[in-house]
Amino acid sequence: MLNPALSITVASEPVEARTVGIAVVGLGYWGPNLLRVLGDNLDAEVRWLCDLDTERLARYRRRHPDARVTTRMDRVLADPSVDAVIIATPVHTHYVLAAQALAAGKHVFVEKPLAQSSDLADDLAALARENGRILMCGHTFLYSPPVRAVKRMIEAGTLGDIFFISSSRVNLGLHQRDVSVIWDLGPHDFSILLYWLSELPTSVRAVGRDSIVKGIADVAFVTMTFASGIVVNVELSWLAPSKLRRTVLVGSERMVIYDDGAPEPVRVFDRGVVYKDPETFGEYHLSYRSGDVISPRIESYEPLSLELADFVKAIQNGDPMDFHTTIARSVVRIVEAADRSLKAGGREVSLDHADITRQLTVRRELAAV
Ligand SMILES: NC(=O)c1ccc[n+]([C@@H]2O[C@H](COP(=O)([O-])OP(=O)(O)OC[C@H]3O[C@@H](n4cnc5c(N)ncnc54)[C@H](O)[C@@H]3O)[C@@H](O)[C@H]2O)c1
């Protein structure tokens, strides 16, 4: 059953054909990437830069002389020429900043994860709905060409029934001060899985360790089960000798390796095992199929650029972006459950998504490539 939240429309007047005024809040590691991409978007104009760090403000003001700078969010929100606020601050600040912006009637793009708890994420979604504003979360991988290529293969049935998925997202650093590796890196894999499978996990287990900073897990192994029978394992770590972003999908017809950043990021293996029913009790036969390996051509563009272009376009067209809000809320639920399991020594945590929707049936074409 579809959740009503998936079928609402934005009440505000579309601001079609006019430039969207933007404020960027948070200019640390990630914010400048958002700023750079916005600089190339002809439909958007950066009107404010906001950060608590005045040195950073001074640095980016030189590159964006037309934008005003401030350490105070209330000054940004009081400006009627600001249509939308883009938030790239630490996770624990997301809720307050996004809630203030939505309450002031601004559209909001907030970096992943949407908020530091599922209650707060749900609250933001409700606030966006009440105010008729877009709430989008920066799940950049939903705009990644290889991720989309795999999605098309899954939808076309190329893999057959998916049995399981195994993923590694590891590198050395960057250690976050306020959140565990599950909150930092997990949203990437969890959002990709929700997008690919259009299904939410029913249970989550996680084990991990705070190897370096006490109380902040820097390695975690997260296992998820889905009602369809698919099982998933995700390894997340800031402690690894080299960077690896690799996902293996094993299906009844084919297997796929998605290796982000590799020269051939998607490889499709016509490999598998065929089980033949026993003719007499106990005499089953297995035959192993080892066919071609294909590396499909993958489009080339910057996901971040397309993601922000989609946000700006949605503001112009009055598109509520419900698909994104749903994914973002579900991601926070999974992260929260994994964190809870980790703290309980790997105990299984059941997930109840009844208030969102069991299946992500909204199949919105994300954006024209
Ligand atoms: N989509 C991605 O691939 C991706 C990649 C990296 C980081 N991120 C996300 O971006 C966000 C920021 O991460 P980061 O690594 O850039 O953090 P960071 O600590 O490097 O930068 C955060 C900045 O926010 C500023 N800030 C803090 N509180 C503020 C407030 N109340 N008002 C205004 N400014 C404030 C800080 O002064 C700092 O400049 C996080 O949510 C992170 O998960 C996303």
Side-chain angles (χ1 to χ4, degrees):
M1 194 183 72
L2 270 182
N3 183 289
L6 295 175
S7 57
I8 56 135
T9 48
V10 168
S12 62
E13 284 292 307
V15 288
E16 208 168 352
R18 104 174 151 75
T19 306
V20 174
I22 305 250
V24 176
V25 184
L27 299 168
Y29 164 68
W30 193 245
N33 287 327
L34 300 165
L35 205 49
R36 170 181 56 76
V37 163
L38 285 167
D40 293 333
N41 188 317
L42 297 178
D43 288 335
E45 192 175 287
V46 178
R47 304 214 160 117
W48 285 91
L49 303 177
C50 176
D51 199 295
L52 300 178
D53 184 327
T54 51
E55 203 185 294
R56 284 181 183 160
L57 284 177
R59 190 184 322 151
Y60 291 102
R61 176 185 225 165
R62 278 201 295 280
R63 296 185 202 168
H64 298 269
D66 295 335
R68 279 174 279 179
V69 297
T70 183
T71 56
R72 288 177 41 190
M73 183 73 159
D74 58 334
R75 291 196 63 205
V76 171
L77 300 182
D79 181 351
S81 80
V82 172
D83 300 299
V85 175
I86 292 186
I87 299 167
T89 56
V91 179
H92 70 272
T93 65
H94 288 183
Y95 173 76
V96 170
L97 294 173
Q100 284 173 353
L102 289 168
K106 312 298 184 190
H107 300 285
V108 169
F109 177 101
V110 59
E111 261 311 326
K112 56 84 194 165
L114 178 56
Q116 76 262 39
S117 77
S118 55
D119 284 350
L120 295 180
D122 292 351
D123 205 52
L124 286 181
L127 204 54
R129 215 164 32 244
E130 280 159 27
N131 288 279
R133 291 294 177 267
I134 294 165
L135 174 64
M136 184 169 168
C137 185
H139 290 303
T140 323
F141 279 94
L142 303 190
Y143 290 86
S144 140
V147 168
R148 287 187 169 198
V150 174
K151 168 75 173 171
R152 285 194 293 272
M153 283 177 209
I154 292 172
E155 298 227 310
T158 309
L159 280 70
D161 292 332
I162 296 175
F163 294 140
F164 65 90
I165 298 177
S166 170
S167 180
S168 291
R169 186 174 297 276
V170 304
N171 53 268
L172 193 60
L174 295 167
H175 272 75
Q176 300 294 310
R177 288 178 191 172
D178 59 337
V179 290
S180 72
V181 73
I182 299 181
W183 283 94
D184 183 39
L185 300 183
H188 294 313
D189 290 290
F190 303 154
S191 59
I192 292 171
L193 287 167
L194 295 176
Y195 173 55
W196 279 347
L197 303 180
S198 298
E199 187 182 3
L200 300 159
T202 48
S203 77
V204 178
R205 284 196 195 96
V207 290
R209 202 172 165 187
D210 49 353
S211 322
I212 305 294
V213 180
K214 200 168 160 35
I216 299 186
D218 42 38
V219 59
F221 303 91
V222 182
T223 308
M224 284 170 265
T225 55
F226 290 74
S228 62
I230 297 174
V231 289
V232 175
N233 185 258
V234 179
E235 175 193 11
L236 304 164
S237 175
W238 295 319
L239 270 183
S242 62
K243 185 171 175 170
L244 183 65
R245 272 101 175 80
R246 187 174 186 267
T247 305
V248 180
L249 300 93
V250 174
S252 56
E253 299 299 320
R254 286 184 183 75
M255 304 180 184
V256 168
I257 297 182
Y258 156 45
D259 198 344
D260 198 71
E264 295 177 335
V266 177
R267 280 178 299 150
V268 186
F269 296 75
D270 183 10
R271 288 183 187 164
V273 186
V274 181
Y275 175 91
K276 296 213 178 83
D277 274 333
E279 281 165 20
T280 57
F281 180 75
E283 282 188 14
Y284 65 85
H285 292 283
L286 297 179
S287 65
Y288 291 85
R289 198 178 66 254
S290 188
D292 293 339
V293 182
I294 291 170
S295 168
R297 195 186 71 80
I298 304 291
E299 308 93 328
S300 171
Y301 57 81
E302 189 178 5
L304 195 58
S305 169
L306 195 64
E307 182 180 40
L308 289 188
D310 211 21
F311 177 60
V312 168
K313 225 183 306 151
I315 294 171
Q316 290 179 321
N317 298 337
D319 177 349
M321 304 294 264
D322 293 327
F323 176 86
H324 284 270
T325 316
T326 302
I327 291 233
R329 289 169 68 194
S330 305
V331 164
V332 174
R333 270 180 169 65
I334 298 170
V335 172
E336 197 175 56
D339 213 26
R340 209 167 339 130
S341 172
L342 186 137
K343 284 174 182 146
R347 208 187 57 213
E348 181 178 66
V349 175
S350 298
L351 278 168
D352 181 12
H353 304 281
D355 59 330
I356 297 185
T357 175
R358 281 241 163 250
Q359 301 289 321
L360 296 177
T361 45
V362 175
R363 296 192 183 257
R364 178 176 170 275
E365 199 45 55
L366 278 168
V369 177

